[in-house]
Amino acid sequence: MATATLQGLAPFPPERAGHLPEPALFTERGFSLRALRDADLPWLCDLYASTRSDEMALVPWPDPVKRQFIEQQFTLQHRHYLAHYPEACFWAIEHRHGGAAGNCYLLRTPPEHLIIHISLFPDLRKGGLGSALIRQCQADAAAVGCGVRLHVLQTNTGARQLYERLGFVAEDGEGSHLLMRWTPRETPLS
């Protein structure tokens, strides 16, 4: 159930044409991509909370205050993404038996596609789904002669190592985030 903080948020844009092909690993394991809907906001907030759980464990606030803070931060992030990337594709990653697995926000514009956001629930991380989806984003970009860029939290060494394994190269630091780029000639997509 959406709390007052999550109610009234700007709606997701309609699904864009040219859906990203689903990676083979997705279909083999029963996962698929679909356009996000406003009804997804509560679990998206839970997903966001899962990415901040280690950080929030260190904060000496009562649990309801932590949840309120997380909902406020999620609301700000949601508004930012919709305002700054209105032409992006906003996808849910879900399992065929029901249940959300994660999300992927992708802006497909030349000369580089931008992975705005990608996240999986903790029990699905480190299982290859994220890598498969990023490789598919790379293949999609390469097919139209584009590279891919993304930003990663400088303290998120696990994500940074994943991106480096997938051929992304770190460039400029932007405050708390690091810009990383991939070009088709740097890594074969086999």
Side-chain angles (χ1 to χ4, degrees):
M1 176 194 261
T3 66
T5 306
L6 299 179
Q7 293 173 354
L9 285 178
F12 283 104
E15 185 169 10
R16 309 281 179 221
H19 200 276
L20 186 73
E22 291 171 358
L25 185 67
F26 269 46
T27 53
E28 290 166 9
R29 294 187 185 175
F31 291 92
S32 62
L33 295 172
R34 67 159 172 82
L36 280 163
R37 303 181 285 258
D38 300 336
D40 295 318
L41 288 168
W43 71 257
L44 286 169
C45 187
D46 292 342
L47 177 62
Y48 176 80
S50 77
T51 68
R52 307 273 312 258
S53 62
D54 290 344
E55 172 189 1
M56 294 308 294
L58 302 175
V59 179
W61 299 340
D63 287 342
V65 174
K66 288 181 184 183
R67 181 62 187 194
Q68 183 180 22
F69 173 78
I70 287 295
E71 288 181 7
Q72 289 170 347
Q73 293 296 297
F74 170 76
T75 297
L76 291 171
Q77 182 188 65
H78 177 75
R79 287 181 180 151
H80 174 82
Y81 289 157
L82 292 179
H84 288 88
Y85 308 107
E87 299 302 316
C89 297
F90 296 89
W91 294 307
I93 304 165
E94 64 184 3
H95 196 270
R96 72 173 155 248
H97 297 300
N103 63 359
C104 179
Y105 302 167
L106 178 66
L107 182 62
R108 298 156 100 184
T109 56
E112 295 175 306
H113 291 188
L114 171 63
I115 298 175
I116 300 164
H117 184 83
I118 186 169
S119 189
L120 294 165
F121 278 107
D123 60 330
L124 295 169
R125 294 176 193 153
K126 298 184 181 181
L129 291 174
S131 296
L133 185 55
I134 294 167
R135 282 188 185 103
Q136 189 63 52
C137 290
Q138 290 170 308
D140 182 64
V144 293
C146 291
V148 179
R149 65 186 163 99
L150 55 78
H151 293 88
V152 61
L153 195 61
Q154 293 207 34
T155 58
N156 190 344
T157 55
R160 184 174 171 182
Q161 290 170 351
L162 167 65
Y163 301 142
E164 288 171 346
R165 280 194 308 271
L166 295 173
F168 285 84
V169 176
E171 291 190 4
D172 302 329
E174 298 176 3
S176 60
H177 287 77
L178 185 65
L179 172 64
M180 298 187 80
R181 284 195 158 92
W182 171 86
T183 57
R185 65 186 172 280
E186 290 175 351
T187 303
L189 291 174
S190 52

